[in-house]
């Protein structure tokens, strides 16, 4: 298993981006901001324990959410 997750942003996500990771209780675990024009980035998930999380990518025009699971 890798401690880094590569994110490719959905089409239409223009402008500055905010990336957040939440646990199943809704607590924000990670947060990062990225300048406009970024098409993909790497997110360090080393601090996350085994379990399910929600990834939220937000731009000025759009919000995308997706669940993912960390396995070790």
């Amino acid at each position: 298993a890798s401690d880094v997750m590569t994110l490719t942003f959905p089409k239409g996500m223009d402008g500055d981006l905010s990336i957040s990771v939440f646990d199943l209780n809704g607590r924000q675990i990670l947060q990062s901001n990225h300048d406009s024009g970024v098409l993909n980035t790497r997110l360090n998930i080393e601090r996350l324990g085994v379990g399910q999380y929600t990834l939220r990518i937000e731009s000025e025009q759009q919000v995308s959410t997706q669940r993912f699971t960390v396995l070790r």
Side-chain angles (χ1 to χ4, degrees):
S2 176
D3 289 332
V4 176
M5 182 167 57
T6 301
L7 305 175
T8 301
F9 302 120
K11 292 184 181 193
M13 290 220 123
D14 299 325
D16 295 342
L17 299 175
S18 173
I19 299 172
S20 302
V21 174
F22 299 89
D23 66 14
L24 289 180
N25 294 320
R27 290 180 300 204
Q28 185 173 316
I29 306 297
L30 297 174
Q31 200 279 326
S32 63
N33 295 309
H34 299 272
D35 295 331
S36 61
V38 174
L39 299 177
N40 56 52
T41 191
R42 295 167 59 103
L43 186 64
N44 185 341
I45 58 171
E46 179 180 35
R47 298 182 313 153
L48 300 181
V50 171
Q52 291 186 347
Y53 297 88
T54 300
L55 172 70
R56 178 182 169 105
I57 303 172
E58 186 173 356
S59 72
E60 294 175 9
Q61 301 87 11
Q62 187 175 346
V63 175
S64 175
T65 59
Q66 184 173 343
R67 287 218 170 152
F68 69 96
T69 303
V70 174
L71 303 171
R72 303 263 186 234

